[in-house]
Amino acid sequence: MGYLNSNPTRDGWFGDYGGAMLPPPLEPHFKEIREAYDQLSKSGEFLGELRLIRKHFQGRPTPISYLKNLSDLCGGAQIYAKREDLNHTGAHKLNHCMAEALLAKHMGKTKIMAETGAGQHGVALATAAAYFGLECEIHMGEIDIEKEAPNVTRMKLLGAQVVPVGFGGRSLKEAVDSAFQSYVAQAETALFCIGSVVGPHPFPKMVRDFQSIVGIEAREQFAEMTDGQLPDIVAACVGGGSNAMGLFAGFIDEEAVALYGVEPLGTSSNLGDHAATITYGADGDIHGFRTLVLTDEAGEPAPVHTVASGLDYPGVGPEHAHLHKIGKVNYVAADDKEALDSFYKLSRHEGIIPALESAHAVAFALREAPKNPGKSILLNLSGRGDKDIDYVTETFGFGSE
């Protein structure tokens, strides 16, 4: 049995991590979600409808691009990118949002709701709500609303109610807290559509399964481009970790492929200056599941920082914590400066403006390529940078090249 089929357990554990620690009022609602997903994930009708949506609405499959100019610039390894930035709405998030909305429709729900950091999950969910004729409520930290103004505009144009979150750090963690509080009162009629491979079971498994299309496509496309070869190194940025699990799913049973998750190191290794949870975190509980968490002296989730709002989370998907513990995936970090440098380099040398989140994976490729001559690196370009261009140029300018 392959890794994906044996993880998680029936009750949602990836080794020591995962589970579902829920307040009693939410337990029956999550049980309903688990049972509906178990049934529909084996349904030819559900999967057939999802396949049609992916092809005729999302524009899948997304291509792989060989980044020749960047490869020549670095020397060493040849760099390739899985182009999730070309997925409708500009990121990988629509892969699970359309599926979650389809699940809500099958469950008879009239509303979908969620948190968002960079706004890509919010835009994707608002898109799915419009497609299926559902109401949509998105909670977003005030800091992220300011940084990601274009995505806020998109959500509102798509008909979503955007709820600003002004307490605590006013970013992704607080948006999750706020959305969960709102969901408790609406759970009969609404589906909470978690935006990554985080949260109580079944969401880490469910979102991974919906995102695995990225890795399935990438494996086939890479082999087609390279006469049957597999990439030597596969890399993706990790905040909650959905785009990474999606890409890793295609290669996780291949011993010859080295998998790398790239965390945000922010401005320093000091607590509060980064969001590198696997690198610096410890076992703990957050938002109803067990994982690695960055905590303060009082044992509470710590404030975090990264230039990329979508990676701004003091926890990480429980499957990533497990893969780190068993040594199946290598977790490294890239700081704000490296991410910004990569943002400019990919734009100038390849004509692709990446999301700041994805720029962390690009930074890893730029760093590793010179050390790996004769090898290939496949990174996940999880989103495009339209949402970031105002923030980047107003804060940092147009780059030095």
Side-chain angles (χ1 to χ4, degrees):
M1 185 186 288
Y3 169 86
L4 297 177
N5 290 327
S6 55
N7 288 277
T9 61
R10 283 288 300 163
D11 51 357
W13 288 90
F14 302 89
D16 297 327
Y17 304 106
M21 290 153 270
L22 296 161
L26 284 182
E27 286 178 1
H29 298 293
F30 272 73
K31 182 173 183 282
E32 179 193 15
I33 296 167
R34 285 197 306 274
E35 290 175 349
Y37 177 65
D38 283 347
Q39 179 187 359
L40 290 170
S41 65
K42 305 292 188 293
S43 159
E45 179 189 357
F46 179 85
L47 295 172
E49 190 171 353
L50 190 56
R51 205 170 290 117
L52 285 172
I53 287 167
R54 284 173 170 167
K55 181 176 181 180
H56 298 290
F57 182 69
Q58 291 183 230
R60 303 205 67 88
T62 58
I64 284 179
S65 294
Y66 168 47
L67 304 182
K68 183 181 186 305
N69 297 335
L70 217 55
S71 301
D72 290 347
L73 182 72
C74 293
Q78 302 303 301
I79 305 171
Y80 296 79
K82 176 61 171 164
R83 299 291 305 281
E84 289 302 289
D85 59 313
L86 297 179
N87 197 28
H88 179 45
T89 74
H92 70 291
K93 295 291 187 181
L94 199 63
N95 299 332
H96 66 255
C97 285
M98 292 302 289
E100 286 175 330
L102 182 59
L103 176 67
K105 198 80 172 172
H106 276 267
M107 293 174 69
K109 305 295 186 183
T110 58
K111 184 176 188 176
I112 49 180
M113 54 190 302
E115 82 300 333
T116 195
Q120 284 301 132
H121 177 59
V123 169
L125 201 65
T127 299
Y131 182 94
F132 287 107
L134 300 167
E135 293 179 65
C136 187
E137 178 182 316
I138 304 293
H139 293 246
M140 189 173 188
E142 288 178 347
I143 287 176
D144 297 331
I145 284 175
E146 189 175 330
K147 280 175 70 177
E148 308 289 2
N151 273 350
V152 178
T153 300
R154 288 187 183 96
M155 284 183 266
K156 291 179 177 177
L157 280 171
L158 290 160
Q161 177 193 2
V162 180
V163 180
V165 179
F167 61 85
R170 299 184 297 134
S171 63
L172 183 55
K173 177 198 168 289
E174 289 75 25
V176 177
D177 293 337
S178 176
F180 259 119
Q181 289 167 11
S182 180
Y183 170 62
V184 171
Q186 305 179 67
E188 292 288 342
T189 56
L191 178 66
F192 191 100
C193 298
I194 292 175
S196 191
V197 285
V198 297
H201 180 60
F203 282 93
K205 170 181 166 53
M206 195 162 77
V207 174
R208 178 199 74 188
D209 291 352
F210 292 145
Q211 286 294 344
S212 66
I213 187 64
V214 178
I216 292 166
E217 287 177 4
R219 182 191 178 100
E220 185 178 314
Q221 291 166 324
F222 192 89
E224 188 180 319
M225 291 176 78
T226 60
D227 294 331
Q229 296 179 45
L230 291 173
D232 297 296
I233 296 168
V234 165
C237 65
V238 174
S242 58
N243 93 91
M245 281 315 310
L247 184 62
F248 293 169
F251 304 95
I252 203 154
D253 288 320
E254 294 292 344
E255 294 296 329
V257 179
L259 305 177
Y260 283 83
V262 189
E263 295 196 294
L265 191 55
T267 54
S268 85
S269 59
N270 296 327
L271 193 65
D273 287 349
H274 64 82
T277 307
I278 294 176
T279 308
Y280 295 107
D283 290 3
D285 300 333
I286 187 171
H287 294 136
F289 66 104
R290 183 83 171 164
T291 187
L292 291 166
V293 187
L294 292 167
T295 54
D296 60 21
E297 291 177 358
E300 294 297 313
V304 288
H305 164 79
T306 160
V307 74
S309 294
L311 305 179
D312 209 355
Y313 188 59
V316 68
E319 188 163 14
H320 285 291
H322 173 61
L323 291 169
H324 167 66
K325 189 164 192 174
I326 65 173
K328 187 74 177 172
V329 177
N330 309 285
Y331 291 90
V332 296
D335 63 26
D336 284 358
K337 187 177 178 183
E338 290 175 291
L340 284 161
D341 178 63
S342 302
F343 176 92
Y344 293 124
K345 277 195 167 76
L346 191 65
S347 301
R348 297 286 170 84
H349 293 283
E350 294 288 352
I352 302 169
I353 303 173
L356 285 171
E357 293 76 18
S358 315
H360 286 74
V362 180
F364 167 82
L366 295 180
R367 195 166 69 200
E368 293 301 310
K371 306 174 194 173
N372 288 279
K375 293 192 174 181
S376 57
I377 299 173
L378 172 63
L379 62 91
N380 199 11
L381 200 67
S382 55
R384 64 174 176 249
D386 302 29
K387 65 184 181 61
D388 297 313
I389 55 175
D390 291 343
Y391 167 70
V392 169
T393 55
E394 288 168 13
T395 311
F396 305 102
F398 289 88
S400 56
E401 291 185 61

